[in-house]
Amino acid sequence: MADVTIWNEFRHEREDDAVAAVYPDGIHAPIADALADDHAVRTATLDDPEHGLTASVLDATDVLLWWGHEAHDEVRTEVVDRVHERVLEGMGLIPLHSSHYSKLFKRLMGTSCRLQYREDGGTERLWVVDPGHPIADGLDESIELPESEMYGEPFDIPEPDRQVFISWFEGGEVFRSGCCYRRGNGRIFYFRPGHETYPIYEHDGVRRVLRNAVDWAAPTEGSPRTFGERE
Amino acid sequence: MADVTIWNEFRHEREDDAVAAVYPDGIHAPIADALADDHAVRTATLDDPEHGLTASVLDATDVLLWWGHEAHDEVRTEVVDRVHERVLEGMGLIPLHSSHYSKLFKRLMGTSCRLQYREDGGTERLWVVDPGHPIADGLDESIELPESEMYGEPFDIPEPDRQVFISWFEGGEVFRSGCCYRRGNGRIFYFRPGHETYPIYEHDGVRRVLRNAVDWAAPTEGSPRTFGERE
Amino acid sequence: MADVTIWNEFRHEREDDAVAAVYPDGIHAPIADALADDHAVRTATLDDPEHGLTASVLDATDVLLWWGHEAHDEVRTEVVDRVHERVLEGMGLIPLHSSHYSKLFKRLMGTSCRLQYREDGGTERLWVVDPGHPIADGLDESIELPESEMYGEPFDIPEPDRQVFISWFEGGEVFRSGCCYRRGNGRIFYFRPGHETYPIYEHDGVRRVLRNAVDWAAPTEGSPRTFGERE
Amino acid sequence: MADVTIWNEFRHEREDDAVAAVYPDGIHAPIADALADDHAVRTATLDDPEHGLTASVLDATDVLLWWGHEAHDEVRTEVVDRVHERVLEGMGLIPLHSSHYSKLFKRLMGTSCRLQYREDGGTERLWVVDPGHPIADGLDESIELPESEMYGEPFDIPEPDRQVFISWFEGGEVFRSGCCYRRGNGRIFYFRPGHETYPIYEHDGVRRVLRNAVDWAAPTEGSPRTFGERE
């Protein structure tokens, strides 16, 4: 059992009726629901003091899930610094969907993280390209999302350490939609699916991936919290 | 300018009228044509003595392209040994299409190299996922092949060192269709497109990839021919 | 708890008094001892029928440790085929020391696996270069072995997926001494330390690595046993 | 022939007599000398307007070498932004020695880039672990530097795409001293050797590496300058 914090920008849901209709309690609610049976889950949002990510919250967090979309710029630099440092110490991080463009993810990657996108509600199919990876445990050969937003290549990221999923889109594109990285002692899993109006996080396959990813990203026992330095 | 050898199984073209109609001089002919302006090109086939891959031919080869399909088992082990050794010394290797299942490629990968396939003549689009890679030089964001055979994931290969292309297929699949590896001193580029009846190697984008790949895979000047050993 | 099989060539210990003095019950004995508290351990040796690696033994094995040295050539090809297939299905593999030159490891790597060596009894220090990796759990910044055989670069292997240890040798060499790979669904950890007369496997740090590596290499629950194929 | 810019902090050489004695014209002088036969070389320093790295200089630069040491904090953020963007567009970057701790390199890596060090003047031996890599062209199996500053593991960097050199230090440490990365379209080669008083850049092997690295890092013809984005 890991200590999980789900961070949500939580703006769309309060400002846009269409989003509120799908996610009345915030998009963090179905994510929390997917994880609550196996893990201790807390949530934090942009408008909480210190965005809900105080030093004590981060110290007590094994894995952080991150959802940002329209307000990346409002995340304060000192909070990004603090979260970045915790990832390097060993906290797992799971950036979801449009969080590819968060300050935090761009800083961890060192690249622009640009991609192509189109909001068309077409079908997405996520193919498992690494069936033996723990994040693919218990899945079929692919996950099909009947309505999805398209993200397309080229996606400007460093070569992933492990590629778990590649998405096919009805409109003609592909995307590296499940990417594993290590930075410092921390494990990072970028997972593409998600949308503020399609109910992506209600999908059984997606929920299984979220659970597997938390298990994978949690630091193992005995891992040090600080990376070596000595003079 | 590199010394290039194109190896072709050369059976389909002599046994099957439909194939002969598309490739009357063998599938190696359009490949040779794509490369002949920039490189010294020779060809070799399965039914040549020693499959055309004598020690002296291999010694004089900078980059070997390989096309095999229905007769992988007829390639003799001692020839595979010899080619394998030359790759480790530094000769570049470009296995094409169904050569994923050749003895040589499977031996270099160490995995089953299994994949899914379906011969349906649907559209394939190869997306460039690594636009700065030399093999993608001069290409548009994707290459579209109007009629193609489908290859689908999971493709049982080691994680590529660099992923240059990922294919989208009309029928709903994706595939890692351009994969770079180093083994010993040799550079390997697996390139998926190809078929015995669709005229894939007449396509300008595909031909550009073949030229780029030869440039990339050729050993650089000053590279040693034998990997270190000392006791 | 994983089902672990320790495979030992078991020749030195019966033929050479100096080796027998250090490993009277075979080099598999201290390895088994290091693992027995946490895992179900069986052993198998070269001179057992089918080298002790029958289909039923392999089916019941989560992680296989491999020690070979002077009789690599006596391991029968059909047994190598069977073990190779099981690794691709998901069985973990931990080749130790001179097993870098076993048929099995060379086949999984696709390279010559050549290296440099010198039997001089100098000090070896294994530096942890990836402190957050599960195989480094609970270790200090380095493991020091007062007497060791030197293995030196260049080591002809594919670029490891993760580099956990790099060794320093008193005589002036370095070596990539802890290397992670995935092949098919199987996890592979090559671990350099070991010798037929130095009591390497009695060392607490080395024993901790062996335990960590078994935990890491064991297949996760829900992992499929066969890699996808469909036509 | 590439357009090369050598950036030097250029403070030590003007403030410290011991440094000035070794590098009277700045540490960029011997680096420029190593490259001038094959490339068009310009230099730029911290105290130039805009640190000498104006948009027009960067636009005209194929490969940038970077030497920073005691004044990393004085490099202005807008210049780091501009250089970072140019690397992602395709400009090659070769950070030298203590530039591991520059704003630019840390930003490209996304990690702390911490390491261990000790200024003791002991011997360093750089082992070539990837003899077929273009950066190792024409080298012997190792490069020996009789007096060097020690850098030790753990070095907090992402797993390199390719590891070309690993250093052995007389005092007992190892270090990943030649590391290749791609970020965006840009190629990056971190090269450890260098010191403000040891004449490292006069060493023939080191100079050969610098020349090879510039050839490797220069963008290939036909490479796009901007990474794809489309909506």
Side-chain angles (χ1 to χ4, degrees):
Chain A
M1 196 181 87
D3 283 292
V4 175
T5 300
I6 303 170
W7 189 86
N8 181 14
E9 194 179 279
F10 199 31
R11 287 280 174 83
H12 278 307
E13 303 94 325
R14 294 182 297 151
E15 295 168 358
D16 182 328
D17 289 348
V19 180
V22 182
Y23 293 117
D25 302 314
I27 203 165
H28 50 281
I31 299 172
D33 184 61
L35 300 173
D37 283 352
D38 303 305
H39 300 289
V41 176
R42 73 165 67 73
T43 58
T45 72
L46 180 62
D47 293 323
D48 291 338
E50 303 186 49
H51 310 322
L53 299 172
T54 59
S56 67
V57 164
L58 290 173
D59 275 351
T61 299
D62 294 315
V63 181
L64 176 67
L65 293 97
W66 190 277
W67 170 277
H69 194 184
E70 61 176 29
H72 295 312
D73 285 348
E74 294 184 43
V75 179
R76 284 157 46 205
T77 298
E78 63 266 33
V79 175
V80 177
D81 290 344
R82 192 189 292 160
V83 178
H84 186 186
E85 184 64 27
R86 260 304 274 145
V87 171
L88 299 184
E89 278 180 6
M91 181 181 73
L93 177 70
I94 304 175
L96 295 168
H97 189 61
S98 46
S99 304
H100 74 92
Y101 225 55
S102 63
K103 287 180 181 176
L104 177 64
F105 186 64
K106 289 197 285 186
R107 187 191 285 195
L108 283 159
M109 297 293 102
T111 55
S112 73
C113 299
R114 279 197 288 256
L115 48 80
Q116 307 191 33
Y117 66 95
R118 185 180 59 238
E119 210 159 2
D120 66 356
T123 296
E124 173 180 9
R125 192 175 294 154
L126 291 102
W127 286 93
V128 176
V129 301
D130 190 355
H133 196 282
I135 293 179
D137 266 10
L139 299 179
D140 291 333
E141 64 180 11
S142 68
I143 295 172
E144 185 158 326
L145 303 174
E147 285 188 307
S148 198
E149 181 181 2
M150 188 284 290
Y151 274 21
E153 296 283 343
F155 182 22
D156 183 17
I157 48 172
E159 202 79 18
D161 295 343
R162 293 283 288 274
Q163 189 69 53
V164 184
F165 301 107
I166 296 176
S167 283
W168 174 94
F169 290 93
E170 193 179 356
E173 288 86 2
V174 298
F175 193 74
R176 288 171 289 171
S177 50
C179 303
C180 296
Y181 295 95
R182 174 190 63 85
R183 289 296 179 268
N185 290 338
R187 297 180 184 90
I188 301 167
F189 178 65
Y190 171 75
F191 189 48
R192 197 211 80 82
H195 192 258
E196 63 278 14
T197 59
Y198 309 127
I200 303 291
Y201 298 125
E202 307 289 353
H203 187 286
D204 280 348
V206 169
R207 290 162 80 93
R208 177 69 192 251
V209 172
L210 294 176
R211 283 193 296 272
N212 289 346
V214 167
D215 289 344
W216 172 82
T220 51
E221 205 177 339
S223 174
R225 288 195 56 152
T226 52
F227 214 92
E229 186 169 47
R230 190 188 60 185
E231 302 190 9
Chain B
M1 195 181 88
D3 283 293
V4 174
T5 300
I6 303 170
W7 189 86
N8 181 15
E9 195 180 279
F10 199 32
R11 289 278 174 84
H12 278 306
E13 302 94 325
R14 295 182 295 150
E15 294 169 357
D16 182 327
D17 290 347
V19 180
V22 182
Y23 293 117
D25 302 314
I27 203 165
H28 50 282
I31 299 173
D33 184 62
L35 300 172
D37 283 353
D38 303 306
H39 300 290
V41 176
R42 72 166 66 75
T43 58
T45 72
L46 181 62
D47 294 323
D48 292 337
E50 302 187 52
H51 310 323
L53 299 172
T54 59
S56 66
V57 164
L58 290 173
D59 274 352
T61 299
D62 294 315
V63 181
L64 175 68
L65 293 97
W66 190 277
W67 170 278
H69 194 184
E70 62 177 31
H72 295 311
D73 286 348
E74 295 183 43
V75 180
R76 284 157 47 206
T77 298
E78 63 267 31
V79 175
V80 177
D81 290 345
R82 192 190 292 160
V83 179
H84 186 185
E85 184 63 27
R86 260 305 273 144
V87 171
L88 299 184
E89 277 181 6
M91 181 180 73
L93 177 70
I94 304 175
L96 296 168
H97 190 61
S98 46
S99 304
H100 74 93
Y101 225 55
S102 62
K103 287 180 181 177
L104 177 65
F105 187 64
K106 289 198 285 185
R107 187 191 284 196
L108 282 159
M109 297 293 102
T111 55
S112 74
C113 299
R114 278 197 288 255
L115 48 79
Q116 309 191 33
Y117 65 95
R118 186 182 57 239
E119 211 159 1
D120 65 356
T123 296
E124 173 179 9
R125 193 176 294 154
L126 290 101
W127 286 93
V128 176
V129 301
D130 190 356
H133 197 283
I135 293 180
D137 266 10
L139 299 179
D140 292 332
E141 65 180 10
S142 67
I143 295 171
E144 186 158 326
L145 304 173
E147 285 188 306
S148 197
E149 180 181 3
M150 187 285 291
Y151 275 20
E153 295 282 345
F155 182 22
D156 184 17
I157 47 173
E159 202 79 17
D161 295 344
R162 292 285 288 275
Q163 189 69 52
V164 184
F165 302 106
I166 296 176
S167 283
W168 173 95
F169 291 93
E170 192 179 357
E173 288 86 2
V174 298
F175 192 74
R176 289 172 288 172
S177 50
C179 302
C180 297
Y181 295 95
R182 174 189 61 86
R183 290 296 180 265
N185 289 338
R187 297 181 183 90
I188 302 167
F189 178 64
Y190 172 75
F191 189 48
R192 196 211 81 79
H195 191 259
E196 63 278 14
T197 59
Y198 309 127
I200 303 291
Y201 298 124
E202 307 289 352
H203 188 285
D204 280 347
V206 168
R207 290 162 81 93
R208 177 70 192 250
V209 172
L210 294 177
R211 283 193 296 273
N212 289 345
V214 167
D215 289 344
W216 172 83
T220 50
E221 206 176 339
S223 175
R225 289 195 58 151
T226 51
F227 214 92
E229 185 169 49
R230 191 189 60 184
E231 299 190 9
Chain C
M1 194 182 88
D3 282 294
V4 174
T5 300
I6 303 170
W7 189 84
N8 181 15
E9 193 179 279
F10 200 32
R11 288 278 174 85
H12 278 307
E13 302 95 323
R14 295 183 294 150
E15 293 168 358
D16 182 327
D17 289 348
V19 180
V22 182
Y23 293 116
D25 302 313
I27 203 165
H28 50 282
I31 298 172
D33 184 62
L35 300 172
D37 284 352
D38 302 305
H39 300 290
V41 177
R42 72 166 68 74
T43 58
T45 72
L46 180 62
D47 294 323
D48 291 337
E50 303 186 50
H51 309 324
L53 298 172
T54 59
S56 66
V57 164
L58 290 173
D59 275 350
T61 299
D62 294 315
V63 180
L64 175 67
L65 293 99
W66 189 277
W67 170 277
H69 195 184
E70 61 175 31
H72 295 311
D73 286 349
E74 294 183 42
V75 179
R76 285 158 45 205
T77 298
E78 64 266 31
V79 175
V80 177
D81 290 345
R82 191 189 293 160
V83 178
H84 186 185
E85 185 62 29
R86 261 303 275 145
V87 172
L88 298 184
E89 278 181 5
M91 181 180 74
L93 177 71
I94 304 175
L96 296 168
H97 190 61
S98 46
S99 304
H100 73 93
Y101 225 56
S102 62
K103 287 180 181 176
L104 177 65
F105 186 65
K106 288 197 285 186
R107 186 191 285 196
L108 282 158
M109 296 295 102
T111 55
S112 73
C113 299
R114 279 198 286 258
L115 48 81
Q116 308 192 34
Y117 66 94
R118 184 181 59 238
E119 210 159 1
D120 66 355
T123 296
E124 173 179 9
R125 193 176 295 155
L126 291 101
W127 287 92
V128 176
V129 301
D130 190 356
H133 196 284
I135 293 180
D137 266 11
L139 298 179
D140 291 332
E141 64 180 11
S142 68
I143 295 172
E144 185 158 328
L145 303 174
E147 286 188 307
S148 198
E149 181 181 1
M150 188 284 291
Y151 275 20
E153 295 282 344
F155 182 22
D156 184 16
I157 48 173
E159 202 79 17
D161 295 342
R162 293 284 289 274
Q163 189 69 53
V164 184
F165 301 106
I166 296 176
S167 282
W168 173 95
F169 290 94
E170 193 179 356
E173 289 85 2
V174 298
F175 193 75
R176 288 172 288 172
S177 50
C179 301
C180 296
Y181 295 94
R182 174 189 63 84
R183 290 294 180 269
N185 290 338
R187 296 181 185 89
I188 301 168
F189 178 65
Y190 171 75
F191 189 48
R192 198 211 80 80
H195 191 259
E196 64 277 13
T197 59
Y198 308 129
I200 302 291
Y201 298 124
E202 307 290 352
H203 187 286
D204 281 347
V206 169
R207 291 162 79 95
R208 177 70 193 251
V209 172
L210 294 176
R211 284 193 296 272
N212 288 347
V214 167
D215 290 343
W216 172 83
T220 50
E221 206 177 339
S223 174
R225 288 197 56 155
T226 51
F227 214 93
E229 186 168 48
R230 190 188 62 182
E231 301 189 10
Chain D
M1 194 182 88
D3 282 294
V4 174
T5 300
I6 303 170
W7 189 86
N8 181 15
E9 193 179 279
F10 200 32
R11 289 278 176 86
H12 278 306
E13 302 94 324
R14 295 183 296 152
E15 294 169 357
D16 182 327
D17 290 346
V19 179
V22 182
Y23 294 115
D25 303 314
I27 203 165
H28 50 282
I31 298 173
D33 184 62
L35 300 172
D37 283 352
D38 302 305
H39 301 289
V41 176
R42 72 167 67 74
T43 58
T45 72
L46 180 62
D47 294 323
D48 292 338
E50 301 187 51
H51 309 325
L53 298 172
T54 59
S56 66
V57 163
L58 290 173
D59 275 351
T61 299
D62 294 315
V63 181
L64 176 67
L65 293 98
W66 190 277
W67 169 277
H69 194 183
E70 62 175 31
H72 296 311
D73 286 349
E74 294 183 42
V75 179
R76 284 157 46 206
T77 298
E78 63 268 31
V79 175
V80 177
D81 291 345
R82 191 189 294 160
V83 178
H84 186 185
E85 184 62 29
R86 262 302 276 145
V87 172
L88 299 184
E89 277 181 6
M91 180 181 73
L93 177 70
I94 305 176
L96 296 169
H97 189 62
S98 46
S99 304
H100 74 93
Y101 225 55
S102 62
K103 287 180 182 176
L104 177 64
F105 186 65
K106 288 197 286 186
R107 186 192 284 196
L108 282 159
M109 296 293 103
T111 55
S112 73
C113 300
R114 277 197 287 256
L115 49 79
Q116 308 191 33
Y117 66 95
R118 185 181 58 239
E119 210 159 2
D120 66 356
T123 297
E124 173 180 8
R125 193 176 295 155
L126 290 100
W127 286 93
V128 177
V129 302
D130 190 355
H133 197 283
I135 294 180
D137 266 11
L139 298 179
D140 291 333
E141 65 179 11
S142 68
I143 294 171
E144 185 158 327
L145 303 174
E147 285 188 308
S148 197
E149 181 181 1
M150 187 285 290
Y151 275 20
E153 296 282 346
F155 182 21
D156 184 17
I157 48 173
E159 202 79 16
D161 295 343
R162 293 284 288 275
Q163 189 69 53
V164 184
F165 302 106
I166 296 176
S167 283
W168 174 94
F169 290 94
E170 193 179 357
E173 289 84 2
V174 297
F175 192 74
R176 287 171 289 173
S177 50
C179 302
C180 296
Y181 294 95
R182 174 190 62 85
R183 290 294 180 268
N185 289 338
R187 297 181 184 90
I188 302 166
F189 178 64
Y190 171 76
F191 189 49
R192 198 211 79 81
H195 191 259
E196 64 278 12
T197 58
Y198 309 128
I200 302 291
Y201 298 124
E202 308 290 353
H203 187 284
D204 281 347
V206 169
R207 290 162 79 94
R208 176 72 194 248
V209 172
L210 294 176
R211 283 193 297 272
N212 289 346
V214 167
D215 290 343
W216 171 83
T220 50
E221 206 176 337
S223 174
R225 287 197 55 154
T226 52
F227 214 94
E229 186 168 46
R230 191 188 61 185
E231 299 189 11

Coordinates of all heavy atoms in Angstrom, one line a residue, chain C residues 131-158:
Chain C
P131 N 21.3 4.6 -7.6 CA 21.0 4.3 -6.2 C 19.5 4.0 -6.0 O 19.1 3.4 -5.0 CB 21.4 5.5 -5.4 CG 22.3 6.3 -6.4 CD 21.9 5.9 -7.7
G132 N 18.6 4.5 -6.9 CA 17.2 4.3 -6.7 C 16.7 2.9 -7.3 O 15.6 2.6 -7.1
H133 N 17.6 2.2 -7.9 CA 17.2 0.9 -8.5 C 16.9 -0.1 -7.4 O 17.7 -0.2 -6.5 CB 18.3 0.4 -9.5 CG 17.7 -0.6 -10.4 ND1 17.5 -1.9 -10.0 CD2 17.3 -0.6 -11.7 CE1 17.0 -2.6 -11.1 NE2 16.9 -1.8 -12.1
P134 N 15.9 -0.9 -7.6 CA 15.6 -1.9 -6.6 C 16.7 -2.9 -6.3 O 16.9 -3.4 -5.1 CB 14.4 -2.7 -7.2 CG 13.8 -1.8 -8.2 CD 14.8 -0.9 -8.6
I135 N 17.6 -3.1 -7.2 CA 18.7 -4.1 -7.0 C 19.8 -3.4 -6.1 O 20.6 -4.1 -5.5 CB 19.3 -4.5 -8.4 CG1 18.3 -5.4 -9.1 CG2 20.6 -5.3 -8.2 CD1 18.7 -5.9 -10.5
A136 N 19.7 -2.1 -5.9 CA 20.7 -1.4 -5.1 C 20.1 -1.2 -3.7 O 20.8 -0.6 -2.8 CB 21.1 -0.1 -5.7
D137 N 18.9 -1.6 -3.4 CA 18.2 -1.4 -2.1 C 19.1 -1.8 -0.9 O 19.6 -2.9 -0.9 CB 16.9 -2.2 -2.0 CG 15.7 -1.3 -2.5 OD1 15.9 -0.2 -3.0 OD2 14.6 -1.8 -2.3
G138 N 19.3 -0.9 0.0 CA 19.9 -1.2 1.2 C 21.4 -1.3 1.2 O 22.1 -1.7 2.2
L139 N 22.0 -1.0 0.0 CA 23.5 -1.0 -0.1 C 24.1 0.3 0.3 O 23.5 1.4 0.2 CB 23.9 -1.3 -1.5 CG 23.4 -2.7 -2.1 CD1 23.9 -2.8 -3.6 CD2 24.0 -3.8 -1.3
D140 N 25.4 0.2 0.6 CA 26.2 1.5 0.8 C 26.5 2.0 -0.6 O 26.2 1.4 -1.6 CB 27.4 1.2 1.6 CG 27.1 0.9 3.0 OD1 26.1 1.4 3.5 OD2 27.9 0.1 3.7
E141 N 27.3 3.0 -0.7 CA 27.6 3.6 -2.0 C 28.5 2.7 -2.9 O 28.5 2.8 -4.1 CB 28.3 5.0 -1.9 CG 29.6 4.9 -1.2 CD 30.3 6.3 -1.0 OE1 29.6 7.3 -1.3 OE2 31.5 6.3 -0.6
S142 N 29.2 1.8 -2.2 CA 30.0 0.8 -3.0 C 30.1 -0.5 -2.2 O 29.9 -0.5 -1.0 CB 31.3 1.3 -3.4 OG 32.2 1.5 -2.2
I143 N 30.5 -1.6 -2.9 CA 30.8 -2.9 -2.3 C 32.2 -3.2 -2.6 O 32.6 -3.1 -3.7 CB 29.9 -4.0 -3.0 CG1 28.4 -3.8 -2.7 CG2 30.4 -5.4 -2.5 CD1 27.5 -4.7 -3.5
E144 N 33.0 -3.5 -1.5 CA 34.4 -3.7 -1.8 C 34.7 -5.2 -1.6 O 34.4 -5.8 -0.5 CB 35.3 -2.9 -0.8 CG 36.7 -3.0 -1.1 CD 37.6 -1.9 -0.6 OE1 37.1 -0.8 -0.6 OE2 38.7 -2.1 -0.2
L145 N 35.4 -5.8 -2.6 CA 35.8 -7.2 -2.5 C 37.3 -7.2 -2.5 O 38.0 -6.8 -3.5 CB 35.3 -7.9 -3.8 CG 33.8 -7.9 -4.0 CD1 33.4 -8.5 -5.4 CD2 33.0 -8.6 -2.9
P146 N 37.9 -7.6 -1.4 CA 39.3 -7.5 -1.2 C 40.2 -8.3 -2.2 O 41.2 -7.8 -2.6 CB 39.6 -7.9 0.2 CG 38.3 -8.5 0.8 CD 37.2 -8.2 -0.2
E147 N 39.7 -9.4 -2.6 CA 40.4 -10.2 -3.6 C 39.4 -10.6 -4.7 O 38.4 -11.2 -4.4 CB 40.9 -11.5 -3.0 CG 42.1 -11.3 -2.1 CD 42.7 -12.7 -1.7 OE1 41.9 -13.5 -1.2 OE2 43.9 -12.9 -1.9
S148 N 39.8 -10.3 -5.9 CA 38.9 -10.5 -7.0 C 39.6 -10.8 -8.3 O 40.8 -10.4 -8.4 CB 37.9 -9.3 -7.2 OG 36.8 -9.6 -7.9
E149 N 38.9 -11.4 -9.2 CA 39.5 -11.6 -10.6 C 39.1 -10.3 -11.4 O 37.9 -9.8 -11.2 CB 38.9 -12.8 -11.2 CG 39.4 -13.1 -12.6 CD 38.7 -14.3 -13.3 OE1 37.9 -14.9 -12.6 OE2 39.1 -14.6 -14.4
M150 N 40.0 -9.8 -12.2 CA 39.7 -8.6 -13.0 C 38.9 -8.9 -14.2 O 39.3 -9.8 -15.0 CB 41.0 -7.8 -13.3 CG 40.8 -6.5 -13.9 SD 40.3 -6.5 -15.7 CE 41.8 -7.1 -16.5
Y151 N 37.8 -8.2 -14.5 CA 37.2 -8.2 -15.8 C 37.2 -6.8 -16.3 O 36.8 -5.9 -15.6 CB 35.7 -8.6 -15.7 CG 35.4 -10.1 -15.7 CD1 36.3 -11.0 -15.4 CD2 34.1 -10.5 -16.0 CE1 36.0 -12.4 -15.4 CE2 33.8 -11.9 -16.0 CZ 34.7 -12.8 -15.7 OH 34.4 -14.1 -15.7
G152 N 37.6 -6.6 -17.6 CA 37.8 -5.2 -18.0 C 37.1 -4.9 -19.3 O 36.7 -5.8 -20.1
E153 N 36.8 -3.6 -19.5 CA 36.2 -3.1 -20.8 C 37.2 -3.1 -21.9 O 38.4 -3.0 -21.6 CB 35.7 -1.7 -20.6 CG 34.5 -1.6 -19.6 CD 33.2 -2.1 -20.1 OE1 33.0 -2.2 -21.4 OE2 32.3 -2.4 -19.3
P154 N 36.8 -3.2 -23.2 CA 35.4 -3.2 -23.6 C 34.8 -4.6 -23.4 O 35.4 -5.6 -23.7 CB 35.5 -2.9 -25.1 CG 36.9 -3.2 -25.5 CD 37.7 -3.0 -24.3
F155 N 33.5 -4.5 -22.9 CA 32.7 -5.7 -22.7 C 31.7 -5.6 -23.9 O 30.9 -4.6 -23.9 CB 32.0 -5.6 -21.4 CG 31.1 -6.8 -21.0 CD1 31.2 -8.0 -21.5 CD2 30.1 -6.6 -20.0 CE1 30.4 -9.1 -21.1 CE2 29.3 -7.6 -19.6 CZ 29.5 -8.9 -20.1
D156 N 31.7 -6.6 -24.8 CA 30.8 -6.5 -26.0 C 29.4 -7.0 -25.7 O 29.1 -8.1 -26.0 CB 31.5 -7.3 -27.1 CG 30.7 -7.2 -28.4 OD1 29.9 -6.3 -28.5 OD2 30.9 -8.1 -29.3
I157 N 28.6 -6.1 -25.2 CA 27.2 -6.3 -24.9 C 26.4 -5.2 -25.5 O 26.9 -4.1 -25.7 CB 27.0 -6.3 -23.3 CG1 27.6 -5.1 -22.7 CG2 27.4 -7.6 -22.8 CD1 27.3 -4.9 -21.2
P158 N 25.1 -5.4 -25.7 CA 24.2 -4.3 -26.1 C 24.2 -3.3 -24.9 O 24.4 -3.7 -23.7 CB 22.8 -4.9 -26.3 CG 23.1 -6.4 -26.5 CD 24.3 -6.7 -25.7

